[in-house]
Amino acid sequence: MAVRSELLAPFLPPGDHVSVRRTFPDGGTERCTVIVDKSKVALFADQEWLAEKEDLLLAAPSSVRRSPDRVTDHRKYLYTGAGAAGETNGCADPDHPDQRLFTSIQSFTRDRADSRAMGKLIKAYTHQVEQSKACRPEPREPSRA
């Protein structure tokens, strides 16, 4: 997912080159790892399908679960200066029936915690996920036997 670079900047360590590595740690999670200068892991940005009964806290990185600085009124987002979670709205996928799509971000850059900036980043990232194919995949052609 593309987000504006100024939203990521507060969480990046000093360096010259930023790259992104996309992985799929399990059948319901997609992770983008943001790396600076080929070796400094700056942050993870995840999309994860969780059971319908689960809530935002389960999707959040452990540091956020312990003590969120901010939980929005409608419980769509929660965040601290170094991590966040969001709940998408209206996402559905036949490969993940009875599940909801959540987002999370975890920063690993020391001395770069910023709750206000993290709140903006998780909102922008969640919005991008809601607009993507991950949220509403294109219908598949029926298989012909």
Side-chain angles (χ1 to χ4, degrees):
M1 296 299 127
V3 294
R4 295 188 331 259
S5 59
E6 63 267 16
L7 295 174
L8 282 175
F11 305 102
L12 300 179
D16 297 320
H17 183 262
V18 176
S19 60
V20 176
R21 183 177 60 227
R22 189 171 160 207
T23 57
F24 302 87
D26 61 43
T29 303
E30 178 178 333
R31 170 171 289 158
C32 289
T33 304
V34 178
I35 303 164
V36 175
D37 292 344
K38 298 182 182 179
S39 64
K40 302 174 201 167
V41 173
L43 63 86
F44 290 154
D46 292 354
Q47 306 167 38
E48 183 175 17
W49 290 96
L50 296 172
E52 186 72 37
K53 65 180 179 171
E54 300 301 348
D55 67 4
L56 195 54
L57 270 173
L58 183 66
S62 62
S63 61
V64 177
R65 283 193 296 258
R66 284 192 298 269
S67 59
D69 293 342
R70 177 90 166 100
V71 180
T72 58
D73 294 336
H74 49 7
R75 295 192 57 82
K76 182 170 174 141
Y77 305 103
L78 61 95
Y79 48 92
T80 67
E87 182 178 348
T88 63
N89 190 11
C91 292
D93 182 344
D95 290 339
H96 302 283
D98 303 320
Q99 294 184 335
R100 295 183 295 164
L101 184 59
F102 291 87
T103 58
S104 66
I105 296 173
Q106 184 170 8
S107 171
F108 298 102
T109 307
R110 292 177 185 256
D111 303 322
R112 292 290 180 115
D114 184 333
S115 292
R116 186 181 189 115
M118 185 59 74
K120 290 178 182 179
L121 180 57
I122 192 64
K123 290 172 186 175
Y125 178 60
T126 303
H127 178 75
Q128 288 293 70
V129 170
E130 288 171 337
Q131 304 306 310
S132 75
K133 289 180 182 178
C135 185
R136 291 175 195 83
E138 295 177 5
R140 295 188 182 97
E141 291 288 323
S143 62
R144 295 181 185 171

